[in-house]
Amino acid sequence: MTKMEQKREEKRAAILLAALDVFFAQGYVGASMDAIAAGAGVTKQTVYRYYGSKEELYQAALESRREGGGNHFLAELDREDPGEALTRFAEGFLGVHMAKEHLAAIRLLVAEGPEAPEMTRAFYAVGPRRTEERLVRFMEERLGAGDPQYAAKMFIATLLSVRMSVLVGLATAPTPEEVSGHARRTARMFLKLMG
């Protein structure tokens, strides 16, 4: 990598990091490209050179977070034993979805999604759609689900059943051990239902 390419990548990384900070602190609607540029130590024109719109920047920022360890759990579905694969997927999936940063993204989505549908599109393009497609394929090919789409949705909904009370402040976030225990029990129950 040349020095110029390295500088470009450093600027891109700084913009994405600043964008996440600004989006979570000020909300999607309230976030400005000026604030993001200031946080990244670049000009607004530089931000626009890399990202043509706020929606594009938001999606890229979420994508960078995902690439930094966001959905490694999808690879777990390739394990040889389907029961182990589903269990490991469940543990990784729930661990990511109960993390503080992810909960902040969900709160933002719920609060501002209705007035900023482009934010919702960007969010779903990054993770949920890919995860669901991969899980549907697993349900069909590895577990022989008659309605793999429904099976995948129900499995994810059951995993995420512990999230709502945390999102609205009725409960504190479960410990990593509690998250893992819920994920394992959910996978076990689901495998039993699938026969």
Side-chain angles (χ1 to χ4, degrees), residues 67-112:
E67 287 169 1
N71 69 356
H72 59 279
F73 52 82
L74 289 177
E76 298 292 353
L77 293 173
D78 295 327
R79 288 177 174 269
E80 190 174 326
D81 177 72
E84 181 73 9
L86 192 64
T87 301
R88 296 295 182 126
F89 165 86
E91 288 178 315
F93 174 88
L94 198 54
V96 166
H97 288 78
M98 292 302 290
K100 186 177 180 179
E101 190 176 80
H102 188 81
L103 292 171
I106 296 298
R107 285 185 184 105
L108 181 60
L109 191 66
V110 169
E112 297 186 8

Side-chain angles (χ1 to χ4, degrees), residues 11-12 51 54 59 84 91 95-96 98 101 107 113 115 119 126 143 147 156 161 166 172-173 176:
K11 278 184 187 178
R12 183 182 307 279
Y51 305 100
K54 191 194 296 192
Q59 185 169 336
E84 181 73 9
E91 288 178 315
V96 166
M98 292 302 290
E101 190 176 80
R107 285 185 184 105
E115 68 181 285
M119 178 183 70
V126 170
L143 298 182
D147 186 349
I156 288 173
S161 64
V166 176
T172 58

Side-chain angles (χ1 to χ4, degrees), residues 142-154:
R142 305 281 304 280
L143 298 182
D147 186 349
Q149 199 123 31
Y150 184 75
K153 285 181 189 227
M154 289 301 97

